Amino acid sequence: MSEYGFRNWDEVNTKLNSLRENKFPIDGFALDLYWFGGTKGMGSIHFDQNDYPNATLNIKKYKEQ
């Protein structure tokens, strides 16, 4: 699943839950622009802790699902 960007984990989860409820096959998400802070953090390879806290834990959870 890819969009211009998901602004936070809640937005990712909302989209993921909707796809699953409607039996749409989904293998992954491309977070794109906002995970590292949007245009203000361009070039960073670190998750924005305000909108994407606990990245390691969340990614592990998605992998387990």
Side-chain angles (χ1 to χ4, degrees):
M1 175 68 201
S2 180
E3 294 185 355
Y4 179 72
F6 298 95
R7 295 197 178 266
N8 53 46
W9 291 125
D10 287 337
E11 197 172 307
V12 172
N13 290 328
T14 297
K15 183 66 74 170
L16 180 59
N17 291 338
S18 175
L19 291 168
R20 287 182 172 158
E21 287 171 6
N22 289 289
K23 309 286 190 255
F24 194 92
I26 182 81
D27 292 322
F29 272 73
L31 298 179
D32 204 6
L33 186 63
Y34 299 110
W35 69 270
F36 56 81
T39 56
K40 71 179 190 282
M42 191 68 77
S44 171
I45 57 169
H46 302 284
F47 278 86
D48 180 334
Q49 292 302 305
N50 293 322
D51 294 324
Y52 287 92
N54 304 310
T56 302
L57 182 64
N58 279 297
I59 292 170
K60 181 180 177 186
K61 178 186 72 172
Y62 292 137
K63 184 177 180 183
E64 290 169 353
Q65 292 175 358

